[in-house]
Amino acid sequence: MEKIVSYPISFIALLLFLMTLLIFHPIQWICFTLFGYHAHKKSVDYMNAILMRIGHLLGTRFKIENRESIPKGVPIIFVANHQSLYDIICMIWFLRKFHPKFVSKKELGKGIPSVSYNLRHGDSILIDRKDPKQAIPLIKGMAKYIELHHRSAVIFPEGTRSKTGMPKSFSQTGLKILCKNAPSAYVVPISINNSWKFVKFGFFPFGLGNRLIFTVHKPLRVKDFTFEEIMNKTENAIVEGIKN
């Protein structure tokens, strides 16, 4: 029944979603070209705020827990499980004060209005998952960037989205490079709950009436632990925080 009811609501939501991306694409270009980084970032923040409001049409609610525990004025490495596109939308908005930059697959860097532009011009990086060697200098460059500017990197160590809510095994490489090259950073694990239910029927229609919860766990100062300890503590915190 939910799937049947969802079709007309999802059609309206998808139309509004695409319209928002199309409208903000030239806005991003103007902000970036004429006014620079901070204006462009503001345009991206507001776009994602609108995309979250569109989610409300589907009965989706959003909550972030323990955000106040995130250190300020230092580089941050956010590590999270990955369940749907709304993971990224919510993190851009909820974590906007930390200037989150994403490690994304290169396919997202072209063809998607607003999204591709932001990935190419907003200091995120685009990696080729078929060529691990290509990713190493890019991730190293991102680490040095957040170290210099006291901003944040977001990495999903599963690599691809979980379709059931249960996380896949975590890859160590990307996080290890970030920690090595941003020695003053804090690793902040985040557990994402229920985001997968938004796409439980596939790309269309969308799931209805879901409550997406982002739980921020205790920050780990990179200098205080070996990488093996950081990896184990991060993965355990994320997995234990998944409630579905």
Side-chain angles (χ1 to χ4, degrees):
M1 178 61 72
E2 177 188 343
K3 187 174 182 180
I4 295 173
V5 172
S6 179
Y7 272 105
I9 304 173
S10 295
F11 178 79
I12 295 171
L14 182 59
L15 183 62
L16 292 172
F17 196 98
L18 293 174
M19 286 177 60
T20 301
L21 296 184
L22 289 169
I23 290 170
F24 270 88
H25 190 91
I27 293 174
Q28 282 192 63
W29 182 87
I30 292 169
C31 289
F32 180 81
T33 305
L34 299 182
F35 303 105
Y37 171 83
H38 290 284
H40 174 242
K41 181 190 176 299
K42 284 289 186 183
S43 71
V44 173
D45 291 345
Y46 292 138
M47 178 184 72
N48 283 277
I50 292 171
L51 294 177
M52 285 180 60
R53 299 301 174 264
I54 293 172
H56 291 329
L57 293 176
L58 301 159
T60 307
R61 293 168 294 161
F62 308 96
K63 181 182 180 182
I64 184 166
E65 299 176 331
N66 305 324
R67 179 169 41 181
E68 65 280 357
S69 68
I70 304 172
K72 298 177 177 62
V74 295
I76 302 290
I77 303 169
F78 292 110
V79 186
N81 57 310
H82 193 16
Q83 298 185 348
S84 80
L85 174 64
Y86 261 92
D87 301 345
I88 298 170
I89 292 170
C90 293
M91 292 180 85
I92 289 175
W93 178 248
F94 285 139
L95 305 175
R96 60 193 181 278
K97 293 182 179 179
F98 302 95
H99 297 247
K101 314 301 176 187
F102 292 82
V103 179
S104 303
K105 59 183 181 180
K106 70 172 187 178
E107 290 82 1
L108 297 177
K110 56 184 178 180
I112 309 173
S114 286
V115 174
S116 297
Y117 188 89
N118 181 43
L119 289 174
R120 293 197 312 271
H121 298 279
D123 297 317
S124 292
I125 60 172
L126 297 164
I127 63 173
D128 185 351
R129 291 187 296 183
K130 297 178 182 178
D131 184 8
K133 290 183 179 179
Q134 172 261 1
I136 293 174
L138 293 176
I139 298 175
K140 184 182 294 187
M142 170 177 271
K144 292 179 178 179
Y145 170 88
I146 66 169
E147 179 80 10
L148 176 64
H149 296 285
H150 289 181
R151 292 173 182 165
S152 67
V154 179
I155 188 167
F156 301 111
E158 295 170 277
T160 57
R161 302 174 192 168
S162 169
K163 297 180 180 180
T164 62
M166 295 307 298
K168 302 177 182 180
S169 59
F170 284 16
S171 171
Q172 298 185 12
T173 306
L175 180 57
K176 189 171 187 178
I177 296 171
L178 288 171
C179 289
K180 182 178 180 180
N181 292 279
S184 66
Y186 285 72
V187 173
V188 178
I190 298 178
S191 296
I192 300 175
N193 279 286
N194 298 323
S195 179
W196 70 274
K197 295 178 181 178
F198 187 81
V199 289
K200 63 183 176 182
F201 300 126
F203 175 75
F204 192 85
F206 306 125
L208 301 178
N210 299 308
R211 189 173 188 232
L212 278 58
I213 302 175
F214 296 74
T215 303
V216 177
H217 300 288
K218 183 179 179 180
L220 305 169
R221 189 169 179 242
V222 169
K223 291 181 179 178
D224 292 343
F225 303 94
T226 65
F227 176 73
E228 288 71 24
E229 290 174 324
I230 289 173
M231 191 71 213
N232 289 334
K233 289 176 179 291
T234 298
E235 186 167 5
N236 288 340
I238 293 171
V239 172
E240 290 174 6
I242 297 174
K243 302 178 178 63
N244 49 334

